[in-house]
Amino acid sequence: MTTEQPIIETKEATIDFNGLVAVDGVNFTMKEGEAIGVIGPNGAGKTSFFNLLTGLFFPTGGKIFFSGKDITTVPPHKRVAMGIVRTFQLVSVFDSLPVVDNLILSTNRINSDHESRGAFFFGDAHRQNKVEQCMDALKLMGIENKAQLMTSELSYGDKRKLELAVALSLNPKILLLDEPFAGLSDMEICEVSQIIQEVKKKFSFVIIEHKISHIIDLVQRLCVMHEGKLIAEGPPAEVLCNAIVREVYWGKEEGLTCSV
Ligand SMILES: Nc1ncnc2c1ncn2[C@@H]1O[C@H](COP(=O)(O)OP(=O)(O)OP(=O)(O)O)[C@@H](O)[C@H]1O
Ligand SMILES: [Mg+2]
C-alpha cells in the first residue's frame, strides 16, 4: 500500500507566549495540490499558525514537517528557498524602492548561489532575464505599467497585488496567504480572487480569511481555529453546518440552524 506524503504536516504544534497559548496542539495535514481555507474569530491563532509554518516563530511544543522532512527549527529564509512562501496580514513591501525592485530584491535574497548573485549585479543578460521574470509576475497581477513607480505611490490595493506578485515570483510549492483581501474594494477582491483561482493550480495553497463567502469557491477544505485549537475541518459545506463551528464563529443562535 502506498501512502501519499503530505506536503506539510504539523504534529501537536504549539506556541505559548508566556502563558498565552496562541496555537494549542494543532495536528494539520495537507496533501500536495490541495487548497485549504483557515477561518476563525479574531485572536483564534490563525496568523500564529502561519508563523509556525513559515518559521517566523518556532513552536514551543510539537513538530512541523515539509515533504516528510522535520523543519521545526529551520529558519524562515531557508523555508522560502524550500518553497514555503507567504504573504502577511499587514501588507509588507518596501515603500522606498521602485515597484519592480521589490520583486528583484526578494527573488535575489533567497538565491544562495553567490555566483548567480554576482551575475545579477554585474551581468546584463542575467539581470535582464530576472527583470523579465519579475515583469511577468507584475503582468499577471495587472500592475506592470506601474513597475517603475516608487512603491510608496501605489494604492493599498496595488500594494497587496505587488505582495502577491512577490510571493508568486518566489516559485512557491505551498503558498500561504494571510487575509489577502483585507482593505481591498469589492472590485479588487474580485480581480485578486480570479488571479488566485488561476494560479493556485500550480501549488498547494492555504488562505486565511474572515469572510467565508470570499473563499468558498477557492478551497476544497476548511479548517476552523478557535482559542488556538483546530476545532473542525472538512469540505466547506460540511464544516459550515457543524454546530460548534456555527456557535463559535457566529454566536449561539446561529449554532442551532444550518441552511448551507
Ligand atoms: N508575538 C506575540 N506575542 C504575544 N502574544 C501574541 C503574539 N502573536 C500573537 N499573540 C496572541 O496570540 C493570539 C492569537 O493571535 P493571532 O494573531 O494568531 O490570531 P488571528 O486568528 O490571526 O486573529 P485575527 O483574525 O485578528 O488576525 C492573540 O491573543 C494574540 O494577541
Ligand atoms: Mg491574523
Side-chain angles (χ1 to χ4, degrees), residues 175-204:
L175 181 64
L176 305 152
L177 303 180
D178 194 348
E179 299 198 33
F181 304 130
L184 300 192
S185 68
D186 286 350
M187 208 171 88
E188 287 169 327
I189 290 174
C190 203
E191 286 166 13
V192 171
S193 182
Q194 273 172 10
I195 294 162
I196 294 174
Q197 189 70 268
E198 190 49 41
V199 297
K200 77 186 172 80
K201 296 165 193 156
K202 299 179 187 160
F203 37 72
S204 312

Side-chain angles (χ1 to χ4, degrees), residues 17 20 22 41-48 57 89 179 210:
F17 294 114
L20 194 157
N42 288 115
K46 305 178 297 294
T47 297
S48 299
F57 290 116
Q89 186 164 351
E179 299 198 33
H210 276 282

Side-chain angles (χ1 to χ4, degrees), residues 135-202:
M135 286 306 292
D136 285 346
L138 290 178
K139 237 179 241 166
L140 188 66
M141 301 308 298
I143 52 170
E144 75 276 16
N145 57 343
K146 299 180 178 162
Q148 302 307 331
L149 288 183
M150 284 308 277
T151 302
S152 56
E153 294 174 59
L154 293 185
S155 68
Y156 189 77
D158 282 346
K159 283 185 189 175
R160 280 251 173 237
K161 290 179 188 171
L162 172 59
E163 196 188 21
L164 202 48
V166 169
L168 295 175
S169 67
L170 294 173
N171 289 326
K173 290 199 174 91
I174 173 167
L175 181 64
L176 305 152
L177 303 180
D178 194 348
E179 299 198 33
F181 304 130
L184 300 192
S185 68
D186 286 350
M187 208 171 88
E188 287 169 327
I189 290 174
C190 203
E191 286 166 13
V192 171
S193 182
Q194 273 172 10
I195 294 162
I196 294 174
Q197 189 70 268
E198 190 49 41
V199 297
K200 77 186 172 80
K201 296 165 193 156
K202 299 179 187 160

Side-chain angles (χ1 to χ4, degrees), residues 4 23 47 69 71 111 120 158 161 166 183 204:
E4 205 182 327
V23 178
T47 297
K69 181 179 168 0
I71 58 158
N111 194 345
F120 175 75
D158 282 346
K161 290 179 188 171
V166 169
S204 312

